[in-house]
Amino acid sequence: GAMEFENPKRIAEAHNNLGVALKQAGQLDQAISSYQKALVLKPDYVDACNNLGGALTETGRAQAALPYLRKALALSNNHIRCRYNYGKAISRVVPLWQFGMMNDGNRNDAYLQAIERAVRPDMHVLEIGTGGGLLAMMAARAGARAVTTCEMVPEIAETARAIIARNGYADRISVITKKSTEIKLGTHLRERGGLLVTEIFSNECVGEGALSAVADARRRLIE
C-alpha cells in the first residue's frame, strides 16, 4: 500500500534493479517480467529498454528484442552498451551466411543471366525474400515495369528499401514486410506477377520452406 505513494520513477528503478539481480541469478524469464514492469511505469527508461532487449535476445527472442534496443539506442544517443546489445540481436536475426551469399559472384552472375533472359519490358516481377534487394534491382534493370518483393524480417526489409532507393529504383520496386504466404492479392498486391524470382533455398534446398512458399505463390500470386 505504501508503495503506491512513492515516485513511479523510483519504483521503475527498483523493478529494473531487481531484473538485473534476477538475470545474474539465471532467472531470465523473471528478469524480463521485472524489466517490463519498469517500462510500464517509465516508458523512456534507457537501462530497462536495453536490459529487456538483452534478456530477450538471450532467451532466443531477438526479433522481439529489436524494438526495445532501437529505442534504447535512440534515447541514449547510440551508447556503446546499447550498440553492443543491438548488434548481438541483429546478428541473431540476420545470420552471417547472408553476407557471404550476397557477395558470391558466381551466384549473382547466374541469377543476372537468368533474369535478363526471362524479364520482358511489360512485366510485373514478384520476388520472395529480398535480402539486400539485389535480385529485385536486377529485374528492374532488366526492364521490368514493376517489381514487388517481400521480406519477413523488418530490419532486412528496411535496409533493402534504403539500398533500392539509393540505387534509384524506389519508383519501380516496392518492398512488403511480410512472408509471401501472408501477402493477399488486392490488399498488398494490386495484380498478379508475370514472373517469380526467388533465392530462399537453404543448403539442403527445402530448409526455409522454399517449396511450399513457391507453390503458394504460383497458385495465388502469379499469372
Side-chain angles (χ1 to χ4, degrees):
M3 287 286 277
E4 289 168 11
F5 301 102
E6 295 274 349
N7 183 333
K9 288 185 179 178
R10 294 293 298 278
I11 303 172
E13 285 165 14
H15 280 304
N16 180 64
N17 294 340
L18 176 59
V20 171
L22 286 164
K23 183 175 180 286
Q24 286 171 346
Q27 297 177 44
L28 279 166
D29 286 336
Q30 291 94 321
I32 285 166
S33 179
S34 283
Y35 298 139
Q36 286 168 333
K37 285 173 186 168
L39 286 170
V40 168
L41 293 164
K42 190 178 172 187
D44 286 351
Y45 190 177
V46 174
D47 284 351
C49 283
N50 192 41
N51 290 336
L52 176 56
L56 285 168
T57 302
E58 281 190 42
T59 55
R61 288 172 275 180
Q63 189 68 66
L66 284 169
Y68 297 106
L69 295 172
R70 267 200 303 271
K71 189 174 185 181
L73 271 175
L75 291 168
S76 70
N77 198 19
N78 211 15
H79 190 277
I80 189 162
R81 277 192 303 119
C82 301
R83 265 191 323 206
Y84 173 76
N85 277 347
Y86 183 73
K88 203 167 169 184
I90 282 286
S91 71
R92 302 277 174 90
V93 172
V94 185
L96 285 174
W97 54 256
Q98 281 266 3
F99 300 97
M101 184 183 76
M102 287 174 64
N103 288 296
D104 183 339
N106 291 335
R107 162 195 177 268
N108 297 341
D109 288 346
Y111 264 92
L112 179 60
Q113 288 175 39
I115 286 168
E116 285 178 341
R117 280 202 303 268
V119 169
R120 296 191 311 274
D122 62 336
M123 196 172 258
H124 172 211
V125 173
L126 174 67
E127 186 199 11
I128 298 176
T130 203
L134 183 63
L135 303 187
M137 289 188 290
M138 285 179 182
R141 195 175 73 173
R145 169 174 54 84
V147 181
T148 303
T149 184
C150 60
E151 174 55 59
M152 65 181 182
V153 180
E155 284 65 33
I156 298 179
E158 201 175 297
T159 303
R161 279 189 201 98
I163 292 169
I164 287 162
R166 191 173 292 178
N167 282 277
Y169 292 112
D171 59 333
R172 276 193 286 163
I173 302 173
S174 55
V175 182
I176 301 171
T177 312
K178 285 187 178 297
K179 284 183 177 179
S180 62
T181 50
E182 293 170 355
I183 292 176
K184 291 182 172 63
L185 196 61
T187 305
H188 312 112
L189 200 62
R190 272 203 314 243
E191 57 177 1
R192 288 175 186 261
L195 177 71
L196 176 65
V197 174
T198 187
E199 207 287 321
I200 57 170
F201 305 105
S202 62
N203 289 347
E204 70 276 22
C205 189
V206 295
E208 294 186 45
L211 299 184
S212 58
V214 168
D216 171 72
R218 285 182 65 184
R219 182 172 56 81
R220 297 188 307 112
L221 307 174
I222 296 293
E223 287 170 5

